[in-house]
Amino acid sequence: MITGCLAVYRREMLILKRRFKRQAAGQAVSPLLYLLTFGYAMGGELRFDGTRYLDFLLPGLVAMSSMTQAFAISTDINVARFYWHIFDEFQAAPISNASYVAGEVMAGISRALMSICITLGLGYLFGVRLHYPPIFWLTILLNSFLFASLAVALAMVVRNHADQSLLTNFVITPMAFLGGTFFPLDRLPVWLQKILGLLPLTHASTAIRAAALGRPVHVMSLVLLAVIGVVFFGMAYYCVNKARD
Amino acid sequence: MSGSHAMIEIRGLRKDYGRVQALKGIDLTVPGGQLFAYLGPNGAGKSTTIRILTGLTRMSGGSASLGGFDIERDAIAAKRQFGVVQQYVNLDQELTVFENLDIHCRLFAMKKKARRERIDRLLAYVDMTDRASTLIKKLSGGLKRRVTIARALLHGPSILFLDEPTVGLDAAIRRRIWALIKKIQQEGTTIFLTTHHIEEAEFLAERVAFLDEGRIVALDTPSNLMARVGSWAIDLVEDSGMKTRYFSTREEADRFRAHGAFTMRRVNLEDAFLSLTGKKVGQ
């Protein structure tokens, strides 16, 4: 299983290497704009519970980047499947579906880590100095794992590129704005807090922010991310098998 | 690799897409080392058969084995038996020739030294050694096709599936690909070729199956299939359209030709297909 998984991963990394400059530039645009508009221009003087808004915002952007970039592999898989037919090469190869899913998920996690390094670098340039303990990185890994697994599953379910964009618009974009990225959820009505508490990104951003600000992290959030991640990985495995027409 | 034992065995293979029956019970045995052509018009079920055999499409019924391994029960072992060249170029355009080949080797768990040796050998085999570091997107259609053939052979498969390998290529490049296919077969690889180019099947195949509307309607050597309709043909233009008369001997055809200014030609596989199905292969 490992050799097949590494072969799939290597292919994705070779492509990432070839696109590195434009990929890095693309990954820098969103966090840069958010830091400029929400953090620098609008929130320079703003504080939440004694925390500068920029310090509050950056962990949220890290959580959001890990989600969006891990999920972005779904578009690449989609293009490889419907446009270049590379997926056929993997399906005709003597590798298990689990190897394929694991390779793609690892690629999604790698892309997410790359974007987080860019986001943290930009934060540093904006004067943000936070803590990055192991639990900070563990939460990022779990969040990336979860969304990369979801990306593989959904990439197998969709039938064309247009459906892929719809999924991003309906699943990822709302979560990016409502998952505790830009504002503390405790200012919202309780019923809405409960609903938003069901989103994995809410748990990820809360845990990442707590770790980055040197506060205690709720272990249950990490357990929840791990459990949902495993469920999504299982879904991806099932969907790859179902992708044969 | 080669031998007279069955390398490809298909029994009662069916494929349904909803109410449409793409394959209606295919029975076929291809012995080791044979170059077998699967001939039929577009939509006859040729690509569906290859997609099922190579694990890309699920079968609706029947069974199939490759090199003795059942494609459903022993899918991984069955996949080690074959290489496949799809009718479309499924290479990573952003990677180099070498990188594409290297990924394939890794998917087959080949060791580093073996990978290097096989890639060098196959690139020389398809006469592309100097293109190893060229990006795929910078290659012509014919060169891309040669890379897909090299890739399919990297792991030393005993069966090679070629799904319309020369589609979209000009006549000169097509002939180069044919020569390459012949060379591969002479080295002992069993080749399963789908095509709707009559001349391709005539030039390459030792045995041909005619597929029409999901069924095999004839299965024999090209010469036997052609002999069923005759040896010589004369095409006639009539009010109702083009008609062809077939003759067993040249003398018979000559006698008929004496009645008008007709062009006489040898019978080909298209004639055999037409007489069996009422359709042309290229339809």
Side-chain angles (χ1 to χ4, degrees):
Chain A
M1 178 186 159
I2 291 169
T3 47
C5 161
L6 292 178
V8 174
Y9 179 67
R10 183 177 173 81
R11 174 201 169 253
E12 296 289 353
M13 290 304 100
L14 283 171
I15 290 171
L16 184 62
K17 185 177 144 197
R18 198 127 290 145
R19 298 178 185 165
F20 187 78
K21 282 183 189 165
R22 50 197 160 116
Q23 190 88 45
Q27 289 181 349
V29 171
S30 287
L32 182 63
L33 289 174
Y34 288 131
L35 283 168
L36 274 171
T37 53
F38 294 124
Y40 210 56
M42 287 168 60
E45 303 302 317
L46 200 62
R47 284 182 173 270
F48 287 130
D49 301 327
T51 305
R52 274 197 322 151
Y53 186 60
L54 267 177
D55 295 346
F56 176 90
L57 178 64
L58 193 73
L61 292 179
V62 165
M64 189 178 79
S65 294
S66 68
M67 172 183 75
T68 53
Q69 290 305 317
F71 190 80
I73 58 159
S74 62
T75 305
D76 287 346
I77 293 172
N78 207 266
V79 171
R81 189 174 163 212
F82 293 118
Y83 193 60
W84 298 120
H85 303 285
I86 307 294
F87 185 61
D88 289 0
E89 165 77 350
F90 292 133
Q91 281 207 309
I95 62 169
S96 64
N97 291 340
S99 300
Y100 173 75
V101 175
E104 293 291 5
V105 167
M106 279 166 56
I109 293 172
S110 301
R111 274 178 65 141
L113 288 174
M114 179 180 151
S115 78
I116 284 153
C117 291
I118 290 169
T119 306
L120 292 177
L122 287 169
Y124 190 86
L125 294 177
F126 277 78
V128 181
R129 304 288 183 269
L130 299 171
H131 306 278
Y132 306 114
I135 200 159
F136 172 87
W137 295 103
L138 176 64
T139 314
I140 287 169
L141 279 178
L142 289 173
N143 196 43
S144 313
F145 168 69
L146 183 156
F147 283 103
S149 300
L150 179 65
V152 179
L154 295 182
M156 293 298 123
V157 173
V158 297
R159 289 278 158 207
N160 53 52
H161 302 309
D163 289 353
Q164 188 67 51
S165 307
L166 274 180
L167 279 172
T168 306
N169 290 342
F170 282 106
V171 179
I172 299 303
T173 308
M175 227 185 298
F177 283 91
L178 300 173
T181 312
F182 297 104
F183 53 87
L185 297 182
D186 54 16
R187 302 192 168 198
L188 296 171
V190 176
W191 65 268
L192 190 53
Q193 282 184 45
K194 284 188 176 165
I195 292 173
L196 297 181
L198 298 172
L199 302 177
L201 188 67
T202 306
H203 292 273
S205 57
T206 306
I208 289 169
R209 184 170 290 122
L213 297 174
R215 295 170 188 165
V217 173
H218 291 297
V219 179
M220 270 316 289
S221 287
L222 303 192
V223 172
L224 198 73
L225 289 174
V227 170
I228 298 173
V230 169
V231 170
F232 283 170
F233 189 91
M235 265 172 57
Y237 174 82
Y238 175 78
C239 292
V240 168
N241 200 32
K242 279 279 174 195
R244 291 199 297 162
D245 51 14
Chain B
M1 275 202 203
S2 64
S4 58
H5 61 286
M7 285 304 291
I8 303 171
E9 275 207 281
I10 305 173
R11 294 286 165 260
L13 188 65
R14 284 193 303 105
K15 178 64 187 174
D16 305 329
Y17 291 103
R19 288 182 183 175
V20 178
Q21 286 185 294
L23 296 175
K24 298 169 182 170
I26 302 288
D27 290 293
L28 193 61
T29 301
V30 181
Q34 187 169 83
L35 206 161
F36 180 86
Y38 206 45
L39 202 66
N42 288 329
K46 304 186 300 290
S47 294
T48 302
T49 307
I50 284 201
R51 287 184 67 84
I52 290 172
L53 293 176
T54 56
L56 305 185
T57 295
R58 214 183 304 274
M59 65 173 80
S60 304
S63 64
S65 66
L66 301 173
F69 297 100
D70 187 280
I71 63 166
E72 291 287 329
R73 285 197 304 274
D74 300 314
I76 299 280
K79 286 177 178 178
R80 291 199 173 280
Q81 306 302 308
F82 68 80
V84 57
V85 177
Q86 302 286 3
Q87 59 179 291
Y88 40 78
V89 172
N90 61 341
L91 296 164
D92 264 309
Q93 305 291 314
E94 289 182 79
L95 301 186
T96 65
V97 170
F98 181 87
E99 286 166 342
N100 268 279
L101 300 181
D102 184 61
I103 295 294
H104 181 91
C105 290
R106 288 169 190 266
L107 287 169
F108 281 80
M110 292 167 68
K111 302 276 182 220
K112 189 177 178 182
K113 194 173 166 217
R115 286 203 303 268
R116 186 78 237 190
E117 282 172 5
R118 285 295 290 176
I119 291 172
D120 287 348
R121 191 169 155 215
L122 264 302
L123 281 176
Y125 193 76
V126 296
D127 200 16
M128 286 187 66
T129 302
D130 57 337
R131 302 288 189 141
S133 51
T134 306
L135 290 176
I136 294 294
K137 62 184 172 191
K138 294 192 173 166
L139 296 178
S140 66
L143 289 177
K144 283 178 185 169
R145 185 61 70 187
R146 271 148 70 180
V147 178
T148 60
I149 293 174
R151 183 179 65 179
L153 294 170
L154 276 170
H155 55 284
S158 42
I159 302 165
L160 179 62
F161 289 107
L162 299 168
D163 190 5
E164 306 271 8
T166 59
V167 72
L169 301 179
D170 65 43
I173 297 169
R174 196 184 301 163
R175 290 203 164 264
R176 280 194 78 164
I177 302 284
W178 288 357
L180 186 59
I181 292 169
K182 270 282 185 202
K183 193 164 121 184
I184 295 163
Q185 189 239 346
Q186 281 160 3
E187 290 175 3
T189 307
T190 307
I191 297 181
F192 189 100
L193 166 81
T194 75
T195 182
H196 61 261
H197 287 304
I198 285 292
E199 68 277 26
E200 191 160 286
E202 278 179 8
F203 180 77
L204 293 170
E206 294 167 284
R207 210 155 61 104
V208 174
F210 285 162
L211 189 71
D212 185 41
E213 295 182 2
R215 281 200 182 87
I216 291 179
V217 291
L219 175 62
D220 213 330
T221 61
S223 55
N224 285 347
L225 286 168
M226 290 187 285
R228 290 188 193 185
V229 289
S231 300
W232 294 89
I234 291 178
D235 297 316
L236 309 164
V237 180
E238 295 180 352
D239 291 344
S240 56
M242 181 80 101
K243 287 272 167 65
T244 305
R245 288 283 302 267
Y246 299 107
F247 305 92
S248 304
T249 63
R250 186 174 182 127
E251 290 70 33
E252 279 179 45
D254 276 337
R255 276 200 297 277
F256 185 85
R257 197 165 57 153
H259 298 293
F262 304 122
T263 306
M264 193 165 72
R265 59 174 175 80
R266 300 284 299 190
V267 163
N268 60 31
L269 276 176
E270 180 86 61
D271 296 307
F273 192 86
L274 187 65
S275 72
L276 277 163
T277 65
K279 296 174 190 165
K280 289 193 167 187
V281 177
Q283 277 181 341

